[in-house]
Amino acid sequence: MPKAELMVFSSPVSPEREADFNQWYDEVHTPDVLAVPGVIAASRLVASDVQPTPEPCPGGHRHLVIYTIEAPDPQAVLAEILRRGRGGEWDMGDALDLVERQPISVLYETNSRRQIGAP
């Protein structure tokens, strides 16, 4: 079955709202996305203060969530995520910055049947 990773870079509306942003992401948004058929896992990460290059974070975002998609058509799963998110079905909270630094989403599809390092 085709596999893909959806990477979403995002930011809280302000540093003072970071705790609210993390709570909303962990308790509301991530479970909503995981309920979409084909989304099988999620990992949330925050950029380290030590980086190999200046300005390494796309759009200045420090937060990244990686959703693993396993479905015959990963692009259809992405379309459903976007439909639910933009269609008002999900509580998008008030701590996510949707104005100054809009989230950046990128879908990466597997380009090989064999994972690197696998026998």
Side-chain angles (χ1 to χ4, degrees):
M1 175 140 347
K3 205 169 192 178
E5 305 288 341
L6 173 61
M7 298 189 171
V8 182
F9 300 89
S10 60
S11 296
V13 292
S14 69
E16 297 78 27
R17 299 293 309 276
E18 183 136 2
D20 296 329
F21 171 84
N22 287 323
Q23 182 177 10
W24 166 79
Y25 232 118
D26 291 342
E27 298 176 10
V28 178
H29 191 61
T30 299
D32 281 346
V33 178
L34 286 169
V36 174
V39 180
I40 62 168
S43 298
R44 289 197 59 228
L45 305 156
V46 65
S48 171
D49 291 334
V50 178
Q51 294 295 328
T53 60
E55 302 296 326
C57 304
H61 298 295
R62 296 198 63 216
H63 294 269
L64 168 66
V65 62
I66 303 171
Y67 296 106
T68 300
I69 297 171
E70 195 169 288
D73 185 357
Q75 292 180 14
V77 176
L78 173 61
E80 179 62 14
I81 291 169
L82 294 174
R83 185 191 70 75
R84 292 182 189 194
R86 294 176 180 163
E89 289 185 37
W90 289 341
D91 172 6
M92 297 307 288
D94 62 357
L96 172 66
D97 189 346
L98 293 171
V99 178
E100 297 295 322
R101 289 181 294 164
Q102 293 184 359
I104 297 171
S105 301
V106 183
L107 181 68
Y108 290 90
E109 296 187 46
T110 303
N111 66 356
S112 172
R113 294 189 184 271
R114 181 176 175 270
Q115 292 208 345
I116 296 170

mmCIF file of all heavy atoms in Angstrom, residues 11-18 20-21 93-101:
data_model
loop_
_atom_site.group_PDB
_atom_site.id
_atom_site.type_symbol
_atom_site.label_atom_id
_atom_site.label_comp_id
_atom_site.label_asym_id
_atom_site.label_seq_id
_atom_site.Cartn_x
_atom_site.Cartn_y
_atom_site.Cartn_z
ATOM 1 N N SER A 11 3.068 27.607 13.808
ATOM 2 C CA SER A 11 3.511 28.443 14.927
ATOM 3 C C SER A 11 2.319 28.874 15.766
ATOM 4 O O SER A 11 1.210 29.035 15.245
ATOM 5 C CB SER A 11 4.200 29.707 14.417
ATOM 6 O OG SER A 11 5.370 29.400 13.708
ATOM 7 N N PRO A 12 2.575 29.136 17.050
ATOM 8 C CA PRO A 12 1.536 29.769 17.863
ATOM 9 C C PRO A 12 1.416 31.244 17.483
ATOM 10 O O PRO A 12 2.330 31.815 16.884
ATOM 11 C CB PRO A 12 2.042 29.605 19.300
ATOM 12 C CG PRO A 12 3.514 29.451 19.170
ATOM 13 C CD PRO A 12 3.774 28.835 17.829
ATOM 14 N N VAL A 13 0.290 31.858 17.842
ATOM 15 C CA VAL A 13 0.085 33.274 17.514
ATOM 16 C C VAL A 13 1.079 34.179 18.232
ATOM 17 O O VAL A 13 1.382 35.273 17.747
ATOM 18 C CB VAL A 13 -1.357 33.742 17.812
ATOM 19 C CG1 VAL A 13 -2.332 33.080 16.879
ATOM 20 C CG2 VAL A 13 -1.736 33.510 19.247
ATOM 21 N N SER A 14 1.589 33.736 19.379
ATOM 22 C CA SER A 14 2.599 34.509 20.112
ATOM 23 C C SER A 14 3.340 33.555 21.044
ATOM 24 O O SER A 14 2.827 32.477 21.379
ATOM 25 C CB SER A 14 1.949 35.622 20.930
ATOM 26 O OG SER A 14 1.213 35.066 22.001
ATOM 27 N N PRO A 15 4.539 33.931 21.474
ATOM 28 C CA PRO A 15 5.276 33.075 22.417
ATOM 29 C C PRO A 15 4.491 32.818 23.701
ATOM 30 O O PRO A 15 4.581 31.744 24.282
ATOM 31 C CB PRO A 15 6.560 33.864 22.688
ATOM 32 C CG PRO A 15 6.741 34.740 21.498
ATOM 33 C CD PRO A 15 5.348 35.087 21.043
ATOM 34 N N GLU A 16 3.688 33.794 24.114
ATOM 35 C CA GLU A 16 2.900 33.646 25.344
ATOM 36 C C GLU A 16 1.800 32.593 25.192
ATOM 37 O O GLU A 16 1.295 32.088 26.192
ATOM 38 C CB GLU A 16 2.258 34.989 25.735
ATOM 39 C CG GLU A 16 3.241 36.091 26.064
ATOM 40 C CD GLU A 16 3.859 36.744 24.832
ATOM 41 O OE1 GLU A 16 3.243 36.749 23.753
ATOM 42 O OE2 GLU A 16 5.004 37.229 24.955
ATOM 43 N N ARG A 17 1.437 32.243 23.968
ATOM 44 C CA ARG A 17 0.362 31.273 23.723
ATOM 45 C C ARG A 17 0.897 29.887 23.372
ATOM 46 O O ARG A 17 0.134 29.014 22.969
ATOM 47 C CB ARG A 17 -0.541 31.767 22.589
ATOM 48 C CG ARG A 17 -1.263 33.073 22.815
ATOM 49 C CD ARG A 17 -2.324 33.015 23.905
ATOM 50 N NE ARG A 17 -3.266 31.927 23.787
ATOM 51 C CZ ARG A 17 -4.372 31.926 23.036
ATOM 52 N NH1 ARG A 17 -4.684 32.987 22.328
ATOM 53 N NH2 ARG A 17 -5.152 30.868 23.008
ATOM 54 N N GLU A 18 2.186 29.676 23.535
ATOM 55 C CA GLU A 18 2.784 28.387 23.158
ATOM 56 C C GLU A 18 2.157 27.219 23.921
ATOM 57 O O GLU A 18 1.879 26.173 23.335
ATOM 58 C CB GLU A 18 4.296 28.404 23.349
ATOM 59 C CG GLU A 18 4.931 27.117 22.892
ATOM 60 C CD GLU A 18 6.194 27.311 22.081
ATOM 61 O OE1 GLU A 18 6.621 28.452 21.880
ATOM 62 O OE2 GLU A 18 6.740 26.299 21.658
ATOM 63 N N ASP A 20 -0.871 27.008 25.160
ATOM 64 C CA ASP A 20 -2.220 26.795 24.605
ATOM 65 C C ASP A 20 -2.138 26.110 23.247
ATOM 66 O O ASP A 20 -2.937 25.216 22.934
ATOM 67 C CB ASP A 20 -2.952 28.133 24.443
ATOM 68 C CG ASP A 20 -3.206 28.830 25.762
ATOM 69 O OD1 ASP A 20 -3.390 28.140 26.783
ATOM 70 O OD2 ASP A 20 -3.220 30.078 25.761
ATOM 71 N N PHE A 21 -1.191 26.545 22.418
ATOM 72 C CA PHE A 21 -0.965 25.954 21.100
ATOM 73 C C PHE A 21 -0.658 24.467 21.239
ATOM 74 O O PHE A 21 -1.262 23.635 20.553
ATOM 75 C CB PHE A 21 0.200 26.695 20.432
ATOM 76 C CG PHE A 21 0.716 26.086 19.161
ATOM 77 C CD1 PHE A 21 0.104 26.349 17.955
ATOM 78 C CD2 PHE A 21 1.850 25.281 19.175
ATOM 79 C CE1 PHE A 21 0.592 25.802 16.773
ATOM 80 C CE2 PHE A 21 2.346 24.738 18.010
ATOM 81 C CZ PHE A 21 1.716 25.000 16.795
ATOM 82 N N GLY A 93 -8.996 26.258 16.966
ATOM 83 C CA GLY A 93 -8.460 26.948 18.125
ATOM 84 C C GLY A 93 -8.149 28.411 17.830
ATOM 85 O O GLY A 93 -8.380 28.904 16.731
ATOM 86 N N ASP A 94 -7.612 29.076 18.830
ATOM 87 C CA ASP A 94 -7.244 30.484 18.639
ATOM 88 C C ASP A 94 -5.763 30.722 18.942
ATOM 89 O O ASP A 94 -5.308 31.857 18.959
ATOM 90 C CB ASP A 94 -8.120 31.398 19.497
ATOM 91 C CG ASP A 94 -7.971 31.140 20.985
ATOM 92 O OD1 ASP A 94 -7.229 30.213 21.388
ATOM 93 O OD2 ASP A 94 -8.601 31.876 21.758
ATOM 94 N N ALA A 95 -5.009 29.640 19.168
ATOM 95 C CA ALA A 95 -3.586 29.781 19.467
ATOM 96 C C ALA A 95 -2.704 29.498 18.253
ATOM 97 O O ALA A 95 -1.517 29.794 18.266
ATOM 98 C CB ALA A 95 -3.193 28.854 20.623
ATOM 99 N N LEU A 96 -3.290 28.927 17.195
ATOM 100 C CA LEU A 96 -2.559 28.653 15.955
ATOM 101 C C LEU A 96 -2.523 29.915 15.113
ATOM 102 O O LEU A 96 -3.559 30.535 14.868
ATOM 103 C CB LEU A 96 -3.266 27.532 15.181
ATOM 104 C CG LEU A 96 -2.769 27.238 13.769
ATOM 105 C CD1 LEU A 96 -1.343 26.680 13.805
ATOM 106 C CD2 LEU A 96 -3.712 26.266 13.077
ATOM 107 N N ASP A 97 -1.333 30.297 14.662
ATOM 108 C CA ASP A 97 -1.191 31.484 13.827
ATOM 109 C C ASP A 97 -1.630 31.152 12.401
ATOM 110 O O ASP A 97 -0.962 30.411 11.692
ATOM 111 C CB ASP A 97 0.261 31.970 13.839
ATOM 112 C CG ASP A 97 0.428 33.324 13.173
ATOM 113 O OD1 ASP A 97 -0.506 33.765 12.470
ATOM 114 O OD2 ASP A 97 1.478 33.943 13.365
ATOM 115 N N LEU A 98 -2.765 31.710 12.004
ATOM 116 C CA LEU A 98 -3.280 31.524 10.648
ATOM 117 C C LEU A 98 -3.184 32.810 9.827
ATOM 118 O O LEU A 98 -3.659 32.858 8.701
ATOM 119 C CB LEU A 98 -4.741 31.065 10.707
ATOM 120 C CG LEU A 98 -4.971 29.686 11.298
ATOM 121 C CD1 LEU A 98 -6.458 29.439 11.508
ATOM 122 C CD2 LEU A 98 -4.358 28.608 10.423
ATOM 123 N N VAL A 99 -2.557 33.862 10.417
ATOM 124 C CA VAL A 99 -2.516 35.162 9.749
ATOM 125 C C VAL A 99 -1.084 35.582 9.418
ATOM 126 O O VAL A 99 -0.716 35.720 8.257
ATOM 127 C CB VAL A 99 -3.212 36.243 10.608
ATOM 128 C CG1 VAL A 99 -3.122 37.597 9.934
ATOM 129 C CG2 VAL A 99 -4.658 35.859 10.881
ATOM 130 N N GLU A 100 -0.269 35.789 10.444
ATOM 131 C CA GLU A 100 1.094 36.298 10.228
ATOM 132 C C GLU A 100 2.025 35.248 9.629
ATOM 133 O O GLU A 100 2.814 35.543 8.740
ATOM 134 C CB GLU A 100 1.683 36.804 11.554
ATOM 135 C CG GLU A 100 0.924 37.970 12.151
ATOM 136 C CD GLU A 100 0.998 39.219 11.306
ATOM 137 O OE1 GLU A 100 2.076 39.488 10.730
ATOM 138 O OE2 GLU A 100 -0.018 39.916 11.210
ATOM 139 N N ARG A 101 1.941 34.034 10.163
ATOM 140 C CA ARG A 101 2.788 32.932 9.680
ATOM 141 C C ARG A 101 1.891 31.722 9.461
ATOM 142 O O ARG A 101 1.785 30.850 10.316
ATOM 143 C CB ARG A 101 3.892 32.610 10.680
ATOM 144 C CG ARG A 101 4.957 33.679 10.735
ATOM 145 C CD ARG A 101 6.036 33.329 11.717
ATOM 146 N NE ARG A 101 5.453 33.345 13.065
ATOM 147 C CZ ARG A 101 6.032 32.803 14.119
ATOM 148 N NH1 ARG A 101 7.182 32.201 14.008
ATOM 149 N NH2 ARG A 101 5.463 32.866 15.306
#
